[in-house]
């Protein structure tokens, strides 16, 4: 829901004029010098310098917000939770708003699970745990709707200049800044208490060329696609598929994910990773807004250090991507298969899982991408095995040893196979859609090829630990070093360990975002130390993937980036020394915390 920013900024002005005495009475308040852009807070026995939030003396005045609104073409809006229309009143940090609208409430309620519906909203987070779940759809308009951890204001950017002005404004007034394209994120990076959002989803340009020229002796000169910041995988793939002959590119497994933001900055794995590496490995150039508000180009010739960091070095860490260019490839006829093992016989189930997962290395070394889900008490769903460029007979030959084992063990299963003229057709037909609106903690770990080969019984025991502790698993078998020349591995900031893994697992632990703090703490401990702890112990040579993992795991710097971390830390200090950009557990955020029960973003002194 969009509301006129001007009608509420008077409340913001009142908030910004709170006295130091009032600040001192606030929980943890320790007033700093009046001219200081940082707000000093005392929390849990430690002192912090915090960004400026509503109620702080450094929060911009009404006139300053109005000036920003004019500068960005009237595209500054007050953020409200997606379901605010189901409530009589939204009790926001800038004042109360009468929000009830029966028709809009019905629309939101019906579409709340739709990823695309939520993507099109200004400030929604597709997974709701980190919003605090304070304003979900309801049939009782008298219920309470507060902002929770949603942002406060958003710039619905339409031009590059709008992004630049937003970045400069956030830097000037030391505001928490969030860059949002789709909100397609498990870790809460697209929402944040008291934050200003720059929404880049309107940047929908797509351009394809047959002759990209890197203008260097070894530069790439083949076909490429250039996309605006808001372009999602489905639009890019549709454009490429319409070519003659049809082309394809590396994207994530989910068709609604954006391809020019957090995906590539986290690395970007998907069904083509065996053949072409990560999305980051295929990047050719970025147009970006840096922390000083300047528009820059980053490629292997210009700002090459920034180019390297943007290719897997951490989302929302180095710059705002406005436009990205990637290599594209000829699409191929492809074959897919599904496998379902569901049985009440616990012994047979785990024998089936062992037969399947012990072949992780074998599958990827034979060119397969494998997507699977494992639920308690006893269900394994593989949908699909992906064989790009292979016939049904070739896929059947690869899978025959697995099915022979299942038959010999007496494990009940169902399976089917389909063939397609292109991978794009397989992608649309065989990958199931995802849903929004779920609330859960997300973790994960990768299984190194060496550990699958030498320590597989411990891996199966770890899987049992995951399922026995209320979580479930989503697996992605691929080999990020199989189809990419080793000479190119270091061209991106992707963790070198990802070149030697065969299974990347997401662990998902359902819990309500509005659960009591004690329940949240218990769930986080269970995820970090028991669920993911078991996976880490079973595969000590594995790693974690920043876009789909527990950001609070121990030694996250090494887990996410391995030996690349020192260079990334140095580059973060170069390109964003003041911390204008922020995402949890990314390079240079060691001293940053969300204190006061996950609200204020602060640096520990």
């Amino acid at each position: 829901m969009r509301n006129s920013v001007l009608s509420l900024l008077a409340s913001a002005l009142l908030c910004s004029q709170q006295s130091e005495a009032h600040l001192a009475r606030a929980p943890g308040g320790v007033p700093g010098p009046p001219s200081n852009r940082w707000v000093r807070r005392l929390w849990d026995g430690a002192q912090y310098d915090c960004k400026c939030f509503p109620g702080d003396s450094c929060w911009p005045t009404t006139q300053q917000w109005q000036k920003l609104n004019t500068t960005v073409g009237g595209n500054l809006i007050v953020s409200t939770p997606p379901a605010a229309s189901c409530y009589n009143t939204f009790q926001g940090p800038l004042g109360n708003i009468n929000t009830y609208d029966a028709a809009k409430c019905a629309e939101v309620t019906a579409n709340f699970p739709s990823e695309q519906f939520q993507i099109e909203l200004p400030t929604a987070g597709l997974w709701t745990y980190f919003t605090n779940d304070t304003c979900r759809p309801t049939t009782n308009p008298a219920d309470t709707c507060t902002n929770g951890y949603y942002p406060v204001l958003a710039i619905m950017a339409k031009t590059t200049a709008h992004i630049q002005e937003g970045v400069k404004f956030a830097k000037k007034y030391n505001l928490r800044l969030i860059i949002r394209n789709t909100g397609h994120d498990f870790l809460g990076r697209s929402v944040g208490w008291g934050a200003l959002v720059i929404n880049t989803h309107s940047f929908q340009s797509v351009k394809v060329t047959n002759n990209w020229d890197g203008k260097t002796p070894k530069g790439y000169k083949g076909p490429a696609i250039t996309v605006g910041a808001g372009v999602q995988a489905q639009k890019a793939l549709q454009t490429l598929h319409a070519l003659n002959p049809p082309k394809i590119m590396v994207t994530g497994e989910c068709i609604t994910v954006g391809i020019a933001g957090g995906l590539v900055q986290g690395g970007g794995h998907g069904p083509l990773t065996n053949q072409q590496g990560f999305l980051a490995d295929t990047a050719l150039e970025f147009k970006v807004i840096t922390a000083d508000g300047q528009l820059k180009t980053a490629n292997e010739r210009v700002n090459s250090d920034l180019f390297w960091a943007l290719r897997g070095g951490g989302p929302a860490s180095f710059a705002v991507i406005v436009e990205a260019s990637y290599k594209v490839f000829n699409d191929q006829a492809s074959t897919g298969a599904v496998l379902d093992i569901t049985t009440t016989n616990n012994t047979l189930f785990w024998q089936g899982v062992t037969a399947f997962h012990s072949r992780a290395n074998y599958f990827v070394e034979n060119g397969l991408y494998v997507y699977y889900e494992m639920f308690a008490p006893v269900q394994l769903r593989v949908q699909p095995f992906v064989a790009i460029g292979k016939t049904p007979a070739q896929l059947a030959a690869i899978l025959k040893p697995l099915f022979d084992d299942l038959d010999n063990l007496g494990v009940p299963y169902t399976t089917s196979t389909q063939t397609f003229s292109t991978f794009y057709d397989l992608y649309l037909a065989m990958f199931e859609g995802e849903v929004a609106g779920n609330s859960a903690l997300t973790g994960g770990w990768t299984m190194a090829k060496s550990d699958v080969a030498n320590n597989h019984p411990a891996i199966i025991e770890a899987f049992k630990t995951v399922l026995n502790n209320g979580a479930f698993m989503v697996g992605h078998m691929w080999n990020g070093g199989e189809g990419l020349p080793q000479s190119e591995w270091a061209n991106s900031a992707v963790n070198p360990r990802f070149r030697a893994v065969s299974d990347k697992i997401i662990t998902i632990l359902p819990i309500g975002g509005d659960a009591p703090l004690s329940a949240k703490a218990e769930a986080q401990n269970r995820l970090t130390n028991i669920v993911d702890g078991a996976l880490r112990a079973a595969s000590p040579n594995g790693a974690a993937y920043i876009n789909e993992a527990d950001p609070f795991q121990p030694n996250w710097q090494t887990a996410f980036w391995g030996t690349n971390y020192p260079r990334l830390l140095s580059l973060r200090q170069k390109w964003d020394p003041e911390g204008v950009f922020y995402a949890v557990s990314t390079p240079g955020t060691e001293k940053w915390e969300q204190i006061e029960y996950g609200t204020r973003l602060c640096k520990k002194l």
Side-chain angles (χ1 to χ4, degrees):
M1 178 184 301
R2 301 189 182 189
N3 297 280
S4 169
V5 68
L6 301 182
S7 66
L8 288 173
L9 282 176
S11 297
L13 176 59
L14 291 175
C15 289
S16 70
Q17 293 175 337
Q18 301 298 314
S19 66
E20 288 187 9
H22 175 83
L23 179 61
R25 289 195 299 271
V30 181
S35 61
N36 195 345
R37 296 186 307 134
W38 295 91
V39 178
R40 184 66 52 83
R41 305 291 284 185
L42 179 66
W43 181 252
D44 199 23
Q47 286 195 345
Y48 294 83
D49 272 349
C50 303
K51 297 263 186 181
C52 291
F53 296 103
D56 295 334
S57 60
C58 53
W59 182 255
T61 66
T62 299
Q63 291 77 17
Q64 289 161 342
W65 283 114
Q66 289 175 336
K67 182 178 179 181
L68 174 64
N69 187 44
T70 299
T71 304
V72 298
N75 287 298
L76 179 66
I77 67 167
V78 173
S79 170
T80 57
S85 58
C86 295
Y87 297 78
N88 290 330
T89 305
F90 165 57
Q91 301 172 16
L94 303 184
N96 294 343
I97 313 172
N98 295 327
T99 50
Y100 184 71
D101 184 315
K104 289 183 178 179
C105 177
E107 180 187 17
V108 170
T109 302
N111 290 286
F112 203 72
S114 166
E115 284 193 338
Q116 195 59 42
F117 177 81
Q118 298 237 24
I119 284 167
E120 301 298 334
L121 298 175
T123 58
L126 271 61
W127 280 40
T128 62
Y129 178 81
F130 289 101
T131 71
N132 210 42
D133 269 341
T134 54
C135 191
R136 292 182 72 89
T138 182
T139 57
N140 181 9
D143 284 347
T144 299
C145 173
T146 61
N147 208 48
Y149 297 159
Y150 282 104
V152 176
L153 295 145
I155 298 170
M156 304 300 293
K158 302 296 190 297
T159 68
T160 300
H162 294 167
I163 301 175
Q164 291 177 280
E165 292 301 325
V167 170
K168 288 188 285 188
F169 189 88
K171 180 179 181 180
K172 180 177 180 180
Y173 294 104
N174 201 20
L175 308 178
R176 180 172 183 180
L177 180 63
I178 290 171
I179 310 303
R180 181 192 188 275
N181 169 15
T182 65
H184 200 296
D185 173 59
F186 296 127
L187 310 184
R189 298 176 307 204
S190 295
V191 298
W193 186 86
L196 170 67
V197 166
I198 299 177
N199 186 306
T200 64
H201 192 59
S202 71
F203 290 72
Q204 290 289 326
S205 63
V206 178
K207 182 175 66 175
V208 179
T209 177
N210 289 322
N211 298 293
W212 178 274
D213 187 352
K215 296 184 174 63
T216 61
K218 296 182 180 180
Y220 176 75
K221 300 182 186 298
I225 187 170
T226 298
V227 297
V231 173
Q232 294 167 256
Q234 54 194 353
K235 182 174 180 177
L237 293 175
Q238 287 169 358
T239 302
L240 294 171
H241 182 69
L243 300 174
N244 187 15
K247 302 288 186 182
I248 199 72
M249 66 177 293
V250 178
T251 66
E253 171 271 327
C254 179
I255 200 167
T256 60
V257 72
I259 56 173
L263 180 67
V264 67
Q265 291 175 77
H269 68 87
L272 267 69
T273 290
N274 276 350
Q275 285 74 29
Q276 309 298 345
F278 290 79
L279 179 60
D281 294 320
T282 71
L284 296 167
E285 184 173 274
F286 300 109
K287 299 291 179 61
V288 302
I289 308 299
T290 49
D292 57 2
Q294 300 300 306
L295 175 64
K296 297 184 184 296
T297 296
N299 55 38
E300 63 178 2
R301 297 174 292 110
V302 180
N303 297 313
S304 58
D305 58 348
L306 178 60
F307 180 55
W308 179 83
L310 290 168
R311 302 172 72 183
S317 299
F318 299 95
V320 183
I321 296 178
V322 177
E323 185 179 271
S325 298
Y326 302 105
K327 299 176 184 177
V328 300
F329 312 94
N330 290 329
D331 206 346
Q332 303 177 64
S334 300
T335 305
V338 299
L339 168 68
D340 193 312
I341 297 176
T342 303
T343 174
T344 57
N345 186 315
N346 192 68
T347 299
L348 282 180
F349 174 75
W350 286 108
Q351 287 178 338
V353 170
T354 301
F356 161 72
H357 196 272
S358 65
R359 290 181 166 85
N361 295 350
Y362 165 78
F363 290 147
V364 301
E365 287 166 359
N366 280 274
L368 300 190
Y369 171 90
V370 185
Y371 180 89
Y372 70 92
E373 299 171 340
M374 196 181 304
F375 303 90
V378 280
Q379 184 179 27
L380 169 66
R381 297 179 65 243
V382 183
Q383 186 167 341
F385 294 95
V386 177
I388 297 174
K390 293 185 179 1
T391 65
Q394 289 172 316
L395 176 58
I398 295 170
L399 295 181
K400 186 178 186 301
L402 168 62
F403 293 138
D404 286 348
D405 269 7
L406 296 179
D407 291 337
N408 292 333
L409 291 166
V411 175
Y413 67 91
T414 59
T415 185
S416 62
T417 300
Q418 297 182 67
T419 186
F420 302 87
S421 59
T422 64
F423 167 73
Y424 174 78
D425 292 313
L426 182 154
Y427 187 61
L428 293 183
M430 299 199 73
F431 283 89
E432 296 179 315
E434 297 181 1
V435 297
N438 294 316
S439 182
L441 283 170
T442 302
W445 193 250
T446 60
M447 300 293 106
K449 293 174 72 174
S450 60
D451 295 321
V452 170
N454 302 319
N455 201 32
H456 199 257
I459 291 175
I460 295 299
E461 289 304 311
F463 288 179
K464 293 178 182 179
T465 298
V466 173
L467 269 58
N468 289 338
N469 279 275
F472 62 95
M473 294 169 38
V474 177
H476 313 71
M477 292 181 182
W478 42 252
N479 186 344
E482 182 71 18
L484 189 72
Q486 187 169 352
S487 61
E488 296 182 23
W489 290 0
N491 290 351
S492 74
V494 168
N495 191 336
R497 283 197 171 191
F498 284 147
R499 309 302 183 180
V501 305
S502 59
D503 190 10
K504 193 208 73 66
I505 293 169
I506 306 174
T507 53
I508 301 170
L509 181 62
I511 180 174
D514 56 354
L517 292 174
S518 58
K520 288 185 173 183
E522 186 281 329
Q524 183 65 62
N525 177 69
R526 187 164 20 125
L527 177 75
T528 301
N529 297 312
I530 299 175
V531 170
D532 283 2
L535 296 177
R536 292 193 299 269
S539 185
N541 295 300
Y545 179 68
I546 180 61
N547 287 345
E548 298 165 332
D550 175 16
F552 305 109
Q553 65 186 284
N555 304 314
W556 55 264
Q557 298 91 336
T558 300
F560 291 138
W561 290 286
T563 54
N564 285 338
Y565 189 78
R567 184 183 178 192
L568 287 168
L569 178 60
S570 175
L571 290 175
R572 180 66 181 272
Q573 292 165 344
K574 171 184 175 180
W575 287 100
D576 185 18
E578 297 182 38
V580 174
F581 305 121
Y582 173 80
V584 62
S585 299
T586 51
T589 62
E590 282 83 354
K591 292 185 177 181
W592 289 90
E593 296 180 36
Q594 293 181 157
I595 66 169
E596 298 177 16
Y597 309 110
T599 57
R600 289 178 174 269
L601 180 61
C602 309
K603 289 192 300 185
K604 191 172 184 179
L605 299 179

